[in-house]
Amino acid sequence: MSDKFRICFAAAAGFIVAADLALCAGLAVIENGWTAFGIGAALLVAAGFSALVFHVSRKGWQTALIMLCSAVGCGLGVTACLRGLGAGTALSGALGLRLLGCTGISLGLFLVYGLIADRMERGLKLFTFLLVGLSWTAGILLWALVRSDIFFCLLFFHLFLVLLFCFPLIICAESLTTLRKNLVLSSLTIAFLVLLIALVILTEGEALDGGELIDGFSVESPGKSKLNRRKPLPPG
């Protein structure tokens, strides 16, 4: 097992644990989905600003700080999703067991993927995209078909989190600094996408609808543009 895999696996595990703890804290103290979303978005902005200040990541503690802020923002984003869906989820022992189960499944899948990727020389990119696509599709279908059990909702988010850590594992990195940069960018991307999903859920899809902006945005066929019907300039 390569050093690169150990670092990526530890980063993925730490990110998920921090996100789960933030989710538990959010469910315990935050009743409003918009409040959870606002705090999570603020943490994401702080993480992004820190990445710029630190030039993405030069030292280990800087990487850890940025990823921690992203993970907590991600966990609060999941809290906002659950509140927006009206899941009525409360912090309990049963929820803790579900989170442990989701963490075990997602990290187990990442472990299997890493062991396979470690030995692949061709087709790694295609294999990765197929695995990510199939896993997310399965998670969404289970979530849609078994809405009565919050386990499948949590499983989808855990798969969403851990599978995005596949990319820092396979993207070329000539140094530890480059690998840290890839991990930071992955964590920021995860938090952004989860908060975007939360925004869509909280607004009941209106965040994806351009509304008046789209209605007022006129388009034309380039071939029928008035520019093509200008009178020719007089000779001379």
Side-chain angles (χ1 to χ4, degrees):
M1 191 177 295
S2 66
D3 291 337
K4 187 178 184 182
F5 175 75
R6 292 190 184 95
I7 294 172
C8 290
F9 185 83
F15 189 95
I16 289 179
V17 170
D20 283 347
L21 291 175
L23 170 60
C24 292
L27 293 175
V29 301
I30 301 176
E31 294 294 333
N32 186 279
W34 281 109
T35 302
F37 174 82
I39 299 174
L43 285 170
L44 175 60
V45 171
F49 180 75
S50 298
L52 292 176
V53 171
F54 297 144
H55 299 286
V56 177
S57 182
R58 289 183 174 177
K59 298 181 180 178
W61 69 268
Q62 296 171 351
T63 303
L65 177 62
I66 296 169
M67 293 186 67
L68 177 61
C69 289
S70 300
V72 174
C74 182
L76 292 177
V78 179
T79 303
C81 289
L82 295 179
R83 295 302 189 209
L85 291 170
T89 306
L91 186 61
S92 64
L95 176 65
L97 290 176
R98 288 183 173 91
L99 287 175
L100 285 175
C102 292
T103 300
I105 292 172
S106 57
L107 289 179
L109 180 62
F110 187 75
L111 177 62
V112 173
Y113 167 79
L115 293 175
I116 295 174
D118 234 12
R119 291 163 175 78
M120 289 188 69
E121 295 182 1
R122 296 182 179 180
L124 180 58
K125 185 184 297 185
L126 177 61
F127 173 70
T128 301
F129 278 105
L130 285 175
L131 175 66
V132 171
L134 290 174
S135 299
W136 283 350
T137 301
I140 292 172
L141 289 176
L142 287 172
W143 179 13
L145 294 174
V146 197
R147 283 183 175 271
S148 59
D149 195 336
I150 199 65
F151 174 79
F152 295 105
C153 175
L154 295 174
L155 179 61
F156 164 72
F157 280 109
H158 279 72
L159 288 175
F160 188 82
L161 268 59
V162 76
L163 289 175
L164 280 179
F165 276 99
C166 292
F167 295 102
L169 180 61
I170 65 172
I171 293 175
C172 295
E174 299 295 334
S175 65
L176 183 58
T177 300
T178 303
L179 179 58
R180 287 173 178 166
K181 173 183 176 181
N182 293 338
L183 289 170
V184 165
L185 293 177
S186 183
S187 66
L188 291 172
T189 301
I190 293 169
F192 173 78
L193 292 176
V194 169
L195 287 165
L196 180 62
I197 294 173
L199 179 62
V200 172
I201 291 175
L202 290 171
T203 59
E204 298 180 349
E206 292 180 5
L208 296 180
D209 185 6
E212 296 179 358
L213 177 62
I214 293 178
D215 293 337
F217 183 65
S218 300
V219 299
E220 66 176 1
S221 170
K224 297 181 179 179
S225 172
K226 291 182 179 180
L227 292 175
N228 295 329
R229 296 196 295 271
R230 290 182 300 177
K231 294 181 180 180
L233 293 174

